[in-house]
Amino acid sequence: MLNSLFITLEGIEGVGKTTAVETVASTMISIGKDVLITREPGGTSIGEQVREILLSRKNECITPTTELLLLLAARNQHLQEVVIPALELGKCVICDRYIDATFAYQGAGRKLGDALVSQANALIPDLAMPDLTILLDATPELGLKRVEMRGLSDRFEIESNTFFEDVRGCYLRRASEQPQRILLVDASRTLGEVTAEIKNHLMDKFL
Ligand code: T5A
């Protein structure tokens, strides 16, 4: 997949992933890349339907294992239908959340563990790994405050502080284990500072 790039954005709720997707996209377009923006769970018709099930507060009875299997069903569809074909065309695919979220939320948050999450992901044929993951990091207090200002919360956003501390801890551990792939960005700074760091990193790495 010559010239293709797969970039993912990760972090707990409200740290600014969706905002950063736009920064990554405009920077990569400015250096001549053909960009495709997508997200997980979602990115396909089936994936977006699964997203609705997962985020709806009506579905509080979903068990951790059901949650994991639904996410991976959506991921498989997303990879086969959208991500892999785009990478084969040499595009730069920018995805709002991907595999690190499953380790952080289901592995650590829901306590299913790394081993089960790895085994479940291994069921997906051609599981693409990101070339770069931008991990936006801030405390759950700060992230949830930003999200609350937006109104109604989804099924994940009503989780406890301990849940989000576990999720954050797993993300930070993965960043320290995989520094070549994961760029850790302090998202508690101003939007201007966060945007500048992301842009500079992309320019240094890909220009
Ligand atoms: N999930 C997903 C799993 O459990 N396992 C998985 O494997 C996967 C793939 C999806 C849910 O799915 C779960 C985790 C999630 O709970 P989502 O909508 O993709 O949900 O994720 P959220 O984190 O809920 O998305 P949010 O939109 O809430 O948060 P973002 O994208 O991090 O934040 P963003 O960019 O929308 O910003 C929030 C607000 O803060 C402002 C923005 O303008 C916006 O108003 N902001 C800043 N303000 C000040 N300073 C900054 N530096 C700022 N950056 C952004």
Side-chain angles (χ1 to χ4, degrees), residues 13-14 16-19 51 97 102 105-106 150 157 189:
E13 334 295 296
K17 296 172 299 299
T18 309
T19 311
R51 180 184 178 94
R97 294 192 185 278
T102 323
Y105 282 77
Q106 283 64 50
R150 211 172 38 192
E157 289 163 1
R189 295 169 299 162

Side-chain angles (χ1 to χ4, degrees), residues 10-16 135-144 146 164-165 167-169 171-172 184-189 194:
E10 296 278 3
I12 60 166
E13 334 295 296
V15 286
L135 172 59
L136 295 158
D137 178 62
T139 62
E141 290 80 2
L142 182 61
L144 292 172
R146 287 182 189 160
F164 288 113
E165 287 294 359
V167 172
R168 183 186 184 203
Y171 270 134
L172 291 173
L184 177 61
V185 174
D186 176 359
S188 66
R189 295 169 299 162
V194 172

Side-chain angles (χ1 to χ4, degrees), residues 1-8 24-25 28-29 31-38 81-95 128-132 206:
M1 298 192 213
L2 201 64
N3 291 327
S4 67
L5 278 175
F6 187 21
I7 302 177
T8 58
V24 175
M28 297 312 283
I29 290 168
I31 59 174
K33 297 285 177 192
D34 189 0
V35 158
L36 177 103
I37 296 176
T38 186
E81 199 181 316
V82 174
V83 177
I84 293 171
L87 293 174
E88 283 173 351
L89 288 173
K91 293 193 185 212
C92 172
V93 177
I94 302 168
C95 189
M129 276 309 281
D131 299 293
L132 170 68
F206 299 120

Side-chain angles (χ1 to χ4, degrees), residues 23 29-30 32-33 35 37 46 53 57 74 77 91 98 101-103 106 132 136 143 150 160 163-164 181 196 198:
T23 303
I29 290 168
S30 79
K33 297 285 177 192
V35 158
I37 296 176
I46 287 171
I53 294 171
R57 284 173 64 174
Q77 191 68 27
K91 293 193 185 212
Y98 184 59
T102 323
F103 283 95
Q106 283 64 50
L132 170 68
L136 295 158
R150 211 172 38 192
S160 66
F163 175 86
F164 288 113
R181 173 173 71 87
I198 293 173

